[in-house]
Amino acid sequence: MTDAGAAADCARFAPPDERIRPGDAAHYVPGQPDMWVFVLVEALIFASYFVIYMLHRVQDPALYLRSQERLNAGLGVTNTLILLVSSWFMARCVQSSRERRYDVAFRQVLFTMVLGLLFIGFKLIDWSRMVSEGLELSTNEFFSFYYFLTAIHVLHVLIGFVFLIVAAYQLRSPLRRSQEIVETCATYWHMVDFLWVMIFALLYVIR
Amino acid sequence: MRAVAVQAAPVLPSGLFERLAWHWRYNPKLEFWIAWYSMVFFYNLFGVVFVGMTRVMPPPQPWWDTPRVVQWFNDNHNGLLVGFGIIFLVSGLTAACNALIGYSMRRMSVSRAFAYSYIAIYSVSALPGMLLTAIALTVGAMRPERDPELIYWLYDMGFMCFVGTMGIFLIGTLVWMIAILIDKNRVLPKWFGYLNICNLITEFVVATSWVFKKGVFAWNGAIAFWVDTAVFAVYTVAFIYLLRKMIKREDFGDGPLPA
Amino acid sequence: MNRDDGELLLFWLVPVLGVTWLVAFLVFPGFVHPMSPTMSAEQVAAFYRDPENLPRIRYSMVVFNWFCIALIPFVSLIVMQIRRMSHRTPILQYCYLGCLTGGPVLFFIANLFWLLAAFRPERRPELTQMFNDLAWVTFTGQVGFLVAQCVFLALAIFLDRQARPVFKSWVAHFNLLIAAALAPASFVALFLTGPIAWDGFLSFWVRNSAIALWIVVMTLVLGKNIYERRREAGIAR
Amino acid sequence: MTATSERRLLTILLVLSAITLISWWIGAQHGQGEFRLNGPVTFGVLLIATVKVRLIIGEFMEARHAPRLLRRVADAWLALLVSSLLAIYFIGAGFHT
């Protein structure tokens, strides 16, 4: 599908006062631009964490490799797939809401939430298994980074639930249904997803 | 009975003192500007004292042994005592900053409860934010002949109070964030509302300094101190600028004062 | 009972509490002849161990612990006066409100350090001395909120531009004078002897008399305002 | 519209999942016993992560319809991050071989 096609489609389904016009599809920022400013700041903060992690990793790669063997990579992959699917539901939710199929969109945001809860559930299982094996925040440098990065990420997931609830609340009643707010919430949720993709690569799979 | 006869403001004169006198007499936004300049003055002074005079920022090492800590106090003896004396003197200016922020919430389409809880929370913020630190380090520097173990304890108290006190700023920031995001009067932009999330998360990040004495999560670590301080600096500069914009936008005219 | 009667109750608390503050101040043996910062750790420990002193330290500080926070309702009455002033914004009122907890709460912390020092005077003398230092530095040096409070009130009075201002302008000048008298005490830790030291002329005598004078004068002008307002309201009724 | 955009999003999801599994597979032990320092694996894994992040931003977040500035900033962030990570990794690895 080309961009022009997408724009035409958007125009067909969009209400008359919608900001999308066939011609300016290439100039359309999804959601509030304010959220994108936030995403940029968060991306920079996390980038600094990742660079600091890498700087420490190269000083003692043997320790990091040895510690990585103790991680449950299967659970890491599962969680990555869960977040990807949740993101997919959220992206579809934005589409459905744009096409004014609000009931479908509402169901999709609920699925997103369920998958988010599943992600946190697996994370808790992972943490409790590691703690029971004696691997804690202060065990060594790698596990400090591991617990720190995953915990800060889970904190973002928890904040993400607030955004998902806002989106669900918007979709629920015909009195609200602001497409802009739904897109803003979706943007936050996808940020949580792509940050996890980097965390997954850096903690679980690089050698 | 109480209303003062309306006086037309004369044109702004030239010359610094004449201008200041004119503003004092006729500027309808004088109350705002007093609070705003107090805030700017305070944050600048805070930077000068904490970075330049007392050497508390960037913080010294948490893993130093006792003699090294005593030496740190001896090296900075006068800087600590004079610097924190200044901080003791001007600590009340934080109230001006909080008042301005509280006012921004009163202009929003939110309950007064937001402004009141912010002012209530932040009226004690100076205590964990800087005064406990200043008291502990002042007492540490005051008597170089004190038992080194006690100086060491005061050192820990000073820096952990500085870096590791979180709740007031966490909940205060949360209150302001919610107010900005649900506000319909567009008093402050939404991106700043979201930026509050970043500031709020730094308060979670610094909790690691209670666990680590070395490395990136210690009280002078790259993550627990440097990244957090960078976020806080961006946040502070942003709100100082946005509050200025808010004041400029206020339209009071120059009519008679309310009785 | 109407709204203003409640204010009267808060107002008449002040003289009653003022007496307890004065009594507690005189009972504490460290205030009558202010303790010298040059005392050695052993001397400080001996001061707290002295069976003459120990009960007086404990009971006076317990009384302060009960009643020092009671300054806040009094200062809240001043906030009510600022509210009546002819300002364009509530900013100065908020500034004043933000300062109001700082002073008493910091005194409260100094009070805790004194009580802790007196709790186990048999402790190592160095520890007792450290608590004593923390108490005196917190008590003497923490004038920032009081200074700011005086300056904000002075500004509020100056900007109260109406035919009959709430406070006369001498009250503003008086508050600025008090602020100036309090200011030197913030550098208390810089010297162990001389006027700035915590038993010195500026940091002890001038600072504490200024606070006492401020409470007395502000009580009087506040009382005058409250009663005048009631009288006027009575005539109007 | 519905069908095309649904199909497009589904394709993206399948691609993302598939390369996630691939990156897991190339990072696995492959019967070697213990993890070793491995430049090509790290390079491959970070490259796959880059592709994934770019797909999420472009497709799920719909940045491909966004103004050029936004796309440029997103790409610049990603490029800067991954190239500094790789640079640190390979310069650091030089000291350990």
Side-chain angles (χ1 to χ4, degrees):
Chain A
M1 188 173 83
T2 61
D3 282 0
D9 283 330
C10 288
R12 179 150 25 105
F13 288 100
D17 60 331
E18 194 70 76
R19 284 168 303 158
I20 321 164
R21 302 268 182 278
D24 57 31
H27 304 289
Y28 168 68
V29 180
Q32 299 165 347
D34 306 72
M35 177 49 88
W36 285 90
V37 173
F38 169 76
V39 169
L40 176 66
V41 175
E42 281 290 293
L44 288 173
I45 294 172
F46 270 87
S48 70
Y49 295 158
F50 298 153
V51 166
I52 291 167
Y53 165 79
M54 202 51 129
L55 282 169
H56 283 259
R57 184 185 172 100
V58 296
Q59 285 168 33
D60 191 359
L63 173 80
Y64 281 73
L65 289 166
R66 233 183 307 124
S67 307
Q68 276 179 303
E69 287 177 10
R70 308 289 301 272
L71 295 181
N72 188 338
L75 221 48
V77 174
T78 315
N79 258 349
T80 311
L81 294 177
I82 287 173
L83 266 197
L84 287 174
V85 176
S86 81
S87 245
W88 175 61
F89 270 112
M90 203 57 207
R92 290 169 68 207
C93 165
V94 168
Q95 288 294 336
S96 311
S97 151
R98 194 170 288 151
E99 293 156 13
R100 308 185 142 200
R101 290 153 54 222
Y102 294 112
D103 287 346
V104 181
F106 183 74
R107 262 201 312 279
Q108 282 159 336
V109 77
L110 287 191
F111 276 121
T112 313
M113 252 184 261
V114 169
L115 288 162
L117 283 175
L118 206 61
F119 175 88
I120 290 184
F122 275 122
K123 208 67 245 167
L124 289 176
I125 292 170
D126 200 16
W127 283 340
S128 55
R129 176 194 64 82
M130 289 174 63
V131 169
S132 70
E133 285 178 22
L135 306 171
E136 286 168 48
L137 179 67
S138 42
T139 300
N140 67 32
E141 212 176 75
F142 174 80
F143 288 108
S144 302
F145 275 112
Y146 171 82
Y147 279 104
F148 172 74
L149 287 173
T150 51
I152 285 294
H153 181 262
V154 162
L155 186 65
H156 282 80
V157 176
L158 292 175
I159 297 171
F161 283 123
V162 177
F163 283 99
L164 293 183
I165 289 167
V166 169
Y169 174 78
Q170 287 288 326
L171 292 168
R172 198 68 215 135
S173 162
L175 296 174
R176 297 181 288 263
R177 291 182 180 165
S178 151
Q179 180 66 21
E180 188 186 38
I181 292 181
V182 172
E183 287 174 9
T184 306
C185 297
T187 303
Y188 180 93
W189 191 257
H190 296 309
M191 177 196 77
V192 169
D193 187 22
F194 79 67
L195 289 176
W196 175 256
V197 165
M198 287 311 295
I199 293 173
F200 170 72
L202 289 171
L203 288 178
Y204 286 87
V205 273
I206 64 165
R207 297 288 173 254
Chain B
M1 170 181 104
R2 285 206 182 111
V4 175
V6 185
Q7 285 172 295
V11 281
L12 191 63
S14 58
L16 180 66
F17 290 107
E18 289 82 353
R19 271 169 181 281
L20 283 176
W22 183 91
H23 283 297
W24 175 256
R25 190 66 199 89
Y26 300 108
N27 190 334
K29 294 177 182 176
L30 185 64
E31 293 156 32
F32 283 129
W33 290 122
I34 289 173
W36 191 83
Y37 278 103
S38 304
M39 173 171 79
V40 173
F41 174 73
F42 171 76
Y43 274 108
N44 278 303
L45 199 63
F46 179 88
V48 169
V49 168
F50 275 73
V51 179
M53 294 180 75
T54 60
R55 312 269 165 182
V56 167
M57 282 168 86
Q61 316 293 349
W63 41 263
W64 276 347
D65 56 2
T66 319
R68 185 68 190 83
V69 168
V70 173
Q71 195 200 323
W72 180 82
F73 275 106
N74 291 340
D75 291 348
N76 300 311
H77 182 82
N78 285 330
L80 284 165
L81 295 181
V82 176
F84 285 138
I86 296 172
I87 286 294
F88 290 157
L89 188 58
V90 301
S91 51
L93 288 182
T94 52
C97 175
N98 304 336
L100 213 48
I101 294 175
Y103 178 82
S104 80
M105 270 177 265
R106 259 198 63 165
R107 289 277 286 100
M108 294 175 190
S109 65
V110 298
S111 157
R112 291 265 173 97
F114 284 90
Y116 291 161
S117 58
Y118 189 92
I119 291 172
I121 292 171
Y122 265 76
S123 66
V124 288
S125 68
L127 197 61
M130 58 183 199
L131 289 180
L132 283 177
T133 305
I135 291 169
L137 297 180
T138 298
V139 171
M142 197 175 112
R143 291 186 203 279
E145 74 282 1
R146 196 192 296 280
D147 179 359
E149 284 301 316
L150 296 183
I151 293 189
Y152 201 13
W153 185 83
L154 289 165
Y155 179 75
D156 282 349
M157 175 180 165
F159 284 99
M160 288 318 296
C161 285
F162 188 50
V163 181
T165 49
M166 306 157 284
I168 286 180
F169 306 97
L170 178 66
I171 305 301
T173 309
L174 185 72
V175 168
W176 200 15
M177 179 196 84
I178 297 174
I180 296 169
L181 291 180
I182 64 178
D183 165 43
K184 290 195 171 67
N185 296 349
R186 295 166 178 266
V187 175
L188 292 170
K190 300 292 174 214
W191 63 261
F192 181 71
Y194 296 126
L195 195 63
N196 274 281
I197 301 178
C198 300
N199 190 49
L200 192 147
I201 286 168
T202 64
E203 301 295 341
F204 286 102
V205 172
V206 292
T208 55
S209 64
W210 286 105
V211 180
F212 295 94
K213 293 181 199 68
K214 247 182 184 177
V216 293
F217 302 113
W219 80 43
N220 67 340
I223 287 178
F225 179 77
W226 288 105
V227 176
D228 278 6
T229 304
V231 174
F232 178 72
V234 170
Y235 176 77
T236 306
V237 170
F239 78 66
I240 289 176
Y241 165 75
L242 290 172
L243 288 174
R244 183 167 178 272
K245 262 179 74 171
M246 177 189 84
I247 298 171
K248 292 223 150 190
R249 224 174 32 229
E250 290 285 333
D251 187 13
F252 282 148
D254 41 13
L257 287 160
Chain C
M1 198 95 188
N2 64 24
R3 296 160 68 120
D4 295 348
D5 295 343
E7 280 195 6
L8 270 189
L9 287 179
L10 288 181
F11 174 75
W12 280 106
L13 268 180
V14 180
V16 177
L17 292 167
V19 173
T20 67
W21 293 331
L22 186 68
V23 169
F25 189 87
L26 293 176
V27 168
F28 183 66
F31 282 154
V32 188
H33 301 289
M35 293 173 74
S36 167
T38 52
M39 284 163 84
S40 69
E42 280 69 26
Q43 283 171 314
V44 172
F47 172 84
Y48 281 91
R49 285 172 189 162
D50 186 346
E52 283 277 301
N53 285 344
L54 191 58
R56 290 174 58 192
I57 299 172
R58 284 179 180 162
Y59 298 136
S60 61
M61 282 300 152
V62 166
V63 171
F64 270 130
N65 198 300
W66 283 333
F67 295 124
C68 70
I69 297 295
L71 194 63
I72 295 178
F74 168 62
V75 189
S76 309
L77 291 178
I78 302 181
V79 175
M80 297 310 292
Q81 301 298 313
I82 299 180
R83 268 179 77 109
R84 289 178 46 219
M85 291 178 184
S86 142
H87 294 152
R88 289 177 198 267
T89 69
I91 290 277
L92 286 167
Q93 177 201 331
Y94 287 175
C95 287
Y96 202 77
L97 211 56
C99 287
L100 170 164
T101 44
V105 166
L106 282 158
F107 179 75
F108 196 81
I109 289 174
N111 172 279
L112 282 181
F113 287 132
W114 267 311
L115 281 170
L116 280 169
F119 185 60
R120 284 189 212 280
E122 67 275 19
R123 231 189 273 273
R124 267 173 58 203
E126 285 80 10
L127 277 166
T128 305
Q129 188 196 30
M130 184 182 76
F131 281 121
N132 188 58
D133 286 347
L134 283 167
W136 276 97
V137 168
T138 312
F139 168 70
T140 312
Q142 297 303 321
V143 289
F145 285 104
L146 302 176
V147 169
Q149 199 169 293
C150 291
V151 173
F152 287 134
L153 181 59
L155 280 172
I157 295 172
F158 286 139
L159 297 182
D160 178 23
R161 288 164 181 157
Q162 46 184 336
R164 264 189 58 199
V166 175
F167 287 121
K168 298 225 166 56
S169 66
W170 70 264
V171 181
H173 291 112
F174 170 73
N175 270 279
L176 288 179
L177 191 72
I178 295 290
L182 294 175
S186 45
F187 295 94
V188 60
L190 209 51
F191 304 100
L192 299 184
T193 54
I196 302 284
W198 73 51
D199 64 341
F201 177 69
L202 286 176
S203 287
F204 189 83
W205 299 106
V206 170
R207 171 194 184 278
N208 292 326
S209 331
I211 291 177
L213 186 67
W214 182 81
I215 293 176
V216 171
V217 171
M218 288 315 288
T219 309
L220 292 177
V221 292
L222 194 65
K224 185 170 152 278
N225 262 17
I226 291 178
Y227 275 99
E228 247 172 34
R229 188 145 178 253
R230 286 174 70 81
R231 220 169 23 247
E232 276 167 23
I235 292 162
R237 257 183 245 134
Chain D
M1 155 71 189
T2 312
T4 30
S5 82
E6 277 281 306
R7 208 176 306 129
R8 185 173 174 119
L9 286 175
L10 185 63
T11 316
I12 300 295
L13 176 70
L14 292 177
V15 170
L16 283 168
S17 306
I19 58 178
T20 302
L21 292 170
I22 291 172
S23 83
W24 180 38
W25 179 79
I26 59 171
Q29 279 141 319
H30 302 299
Q32 278 178 1
E34 57 185 34
F35 288 166
R36 298 255 170 74
L37 204 61
N38 193 330
V41 165
T42 303
F43 186 77
V45 166
L46 282 180
L47 220 58
I48 288 175
T50 312
V51 172
K52 279 160 72 180
V53 171
R54 200 160 184 279
L55 278 177
I56 293 170
I57 295 176
E59 302 292 330
F60 286 172
M61 294 170 101
E62 299 182 313
R64 73 197 165 95
H65 298 308
R68 191 177 298 151
L69 175 71
L70 196 154
R71 282 178 288 154
R72 289 267 164 85
V73 171
D75 285 343
W77 169 77
L78 192 56
L80 201 67
L81 171 64
V82 175
S83 55
S84 22
L85 288 177
L86 285 173
I88 295 166
Y89 180 86
F90 283 103
I91 293 169
F95 293 113
H96 289 281
T97 44

